[in-house]
Amino acid sequence: METLTRVQPRALVRASGGPRYTVALVVDALGTGLLRPFLLLYGVTVLGLSAPVTGTAMTVGIVAGLVCMPAVGRWLDRGARSTVVAASMLVRVVGVALLLAAPRGHAGLFATAALFLGISNQAWPAAHAALVATVAHGRERDTALAAARALRNAALGVGALLATACLAGGAGGLRALAAVTALAYLAASALAWSVHVHADPAQATRAEDRAGAPAPHMLALLAANVVYVFCLNIPEVALPLVLVTQLHASPMWSAAVFVANTVLVVTLQVPVTVLMSRFSRRTVLAFSGVVLAVSYLGFLAATSLGHGWAVPAIAAVSVVCTIGEIVYAGSATALVTALAPAPVLGRALARFQLSTGFGLAVSPAVITALAPHGPTALWGTLTGATLASAAAVAKEKDPAT
């Protein structure tokens, strides 16, 4: 089994698509960090829409964006790589342009803008993973994927901080923020396109010849992934809900948990992925489910403590949850790229992104539906579902590739 013992920055940049592509990732993530946390505020403050209408439009955009994934998968299987990444970034430019063009009170244009942003957010991960899988192989590819996630989280955090400073400008500040975001997306798209990464032409021809050939089903992996991705919404949805509305803690605790999550992902994603390279990807992914389940049980135990201890205990357990998230993120996409035959890699990644997008879309609704029924309903259900998912991942047989 191939094991990566150390990380060489220059080799890592090369495995991640090269310097220009790395800059494109940073610029794109900065733009997303500028806009994503405040898209709801843009609809309410700038366009004068009600919060329910704005939230519904954003949800519909995310779900509708999943519809594009089969086409993205087929496009990737024809050999396109950097072109698909650039296109996913360019679609964001269209979405932001629609935001800027929308007159006050026009929910239709806001919903259309949310649709374009949703398409981009769903298409980009699969396209990026396919590009990295083309320029890097083995454990070097896994580390490159992990490094991109760490870099993206760092840029998202910086973008969100910059956007917070713009909020003082009110509606005008948000419009300026959107305009800067559009320019960032446009620059990132041009940089990504300039890399000119394509799959092997002979491989693309075989993919055309096998147009009817299915990508590996990986049913257990895809079903488990829907449950696994709930962990990404724990610091953003579940913990603020529990800390603020149930334990009546200061919102600063939720902010501290979110910041700690971001810092840990940025600093530990690559080292943990390298450390876990001595084990099989499937074993690591199953182990991540166990870590997440243990953290959910920790949250359940923490809520039973007295009010003075429950809040800091939840904050401490959130570190364990973040470790589980890091292990999951470093192994899940890497496992898909290792399992899928090259001619159907795009379709396999598209299916995986469908499961990820679906899990991210439904998890806030599931979490908010379970939370009012008590800690056992919320954390007990998440623990059971995650352990079952980890068992399913461990038992599934790898198809011959």
Side-chain angles (χ1 to χ4, degrees):
M1 184 193 309
E2 181 187 357
T3 302
L4 197 64
T5 56
R6 60 177 183 157
V7 179
Q8 296 179 340
R10 186 173 298 178
L12 187 57
V13 170
R14 184 175 63 252
S16 301
R20 277 181 296 171
Y21 186 71
T22 302
V23 173
L25 294 184
V26 173
V27 174
D28 179 72
L30 279 171
T32 302
L34 285 171
L35 184 64
R36 190 176 71 175
F38 305 106
L39 187 57
L40 181 69
L41 284 179
Y42 190 95
V44 173
T45 304
V46 179
L47 302 183
L49 305 175
S50 67
V53 168
T54 306
T56 301
M58 291 172 62
T59 301
V60 170
I62 293 171
V63 175
L66 293 171
V67 178
C68 76
M69 290 312 301
V72 171
R74 289 192 295 270
W75 191 7
L76 290 169
D77 284 338
R78 287 197 291 269
R81 292 293 185 267
S82 56
T83 304
V84 186
V85 175
S88 71
M89 294 173 174
L90 199 57
V91 167
R92 292 178 182 170
V93 178
V94 176
V96 179
L98 288 172
L99 282 181
L100 292 169
R104 187 171 177 82
H106 201 299
L109 272 180
F110 180 82
T112 307
L115 170 62
F116 277 98
L117 292 171
I119 289 173
S120 173
N121 290 336
Q122 301 302 334
W124 182 85
H128 166 71
L131 186 146
V132 172
T134 302
V135 300
H137 304 281
R139 294 297 181 171
E140 187 180 56
R141 176 193 58 215
D142 299 5
T143 307
L145 290 169
R149 181 171 191 260
L151 188 67
R152 186 168 180 81
N153 273 267
L156 283 170
V158 172
L161 288 175
L162 292 174
T164 303
C166 294
L167 287 180
L174 285 172
R175 282 194 178 276
L177 191 66
V180 172
T181 301
L183 293 175
Y185 287 153
L186 189 61
S189 177
L191 283 168
W193 179 82
S194 71
V195 175
H196 297 305
V197 174
H198 305 276
D200 185 283
Q203 174 182 303
T205 300
R206 290 196 300 272
E208 290 284 358
D209 293 340
R210 295 179 52 188
H217 289 293
M218 304 179 293
L219 292 179
L221 174 59
L222 296 178
N225 188 55
V226 173
V227 177
Y228 270 90
V229 297
F230 274 53
C231 71
L232 302 180
N233 273 328
I234 295 300
E236 294 189 30
V237 178
L239 295 187
L241 187 66
V242 171
L243 289 170
V244 177
T245 66
Q246 296 182 356
L247 297 178
H248 308 293
S250 166
M252 292 300 296
W253 281 101
S254 299
V257 166
F258 184 80
V259 170
N261 174 270
T262 301
V263 171
L264 288 172
V265 169
V266 171
T267 56
L268 296 182
Q269 186 67 70
V270 172
V272 169
T273 301
V274 172
L275 179 65
M276 291 293 167
S277 68
R278 66 191 66 188
F279 307 105
S280 75
R281 298 175 181 89
R282 186 174 291 279
T283 299
V284 174
L285 183 57
F287 173 69
S288 72
V290 175
V291 176
L292 289 171
V294 168
S295 73
Y296 298 154
L297 287 177
F299 289 133
L300 177 60
T303 55
S304 66
L305 301 175
H307 181 72
W309 291 101
V311 173
I314 287 175
V317 174
S318 71
V319 174
V320 180
C321 186
T322 299
I323 297 299
E325 174 193 334
I326 290 169
V327 178
Y328 155 69
S331 57
T333 304
L335 178 59
V336 175
T337 59
L339 292 178
V344 292
L345 175 63
R347 276 171 281 174
L349 287 170
R351 289 180 179 180
F352 183 73
Q353 181 57 32
L354 275 171
S355 70
T356 300
F358 179 75
L360 288 175
V362 303
S363 55
V366 172
I367 290 170
T368 53
L370 289 173
H373 298 286
T376 302
L378 174 60
W379 301 117
T381 301
L382 289 178
T383 299
T386 305
L387 284 176
S389 299
V393 167
K395 290 179 180 179
E396 188 177 42
K397 300 295 183 182
D398 291 342
T401 58

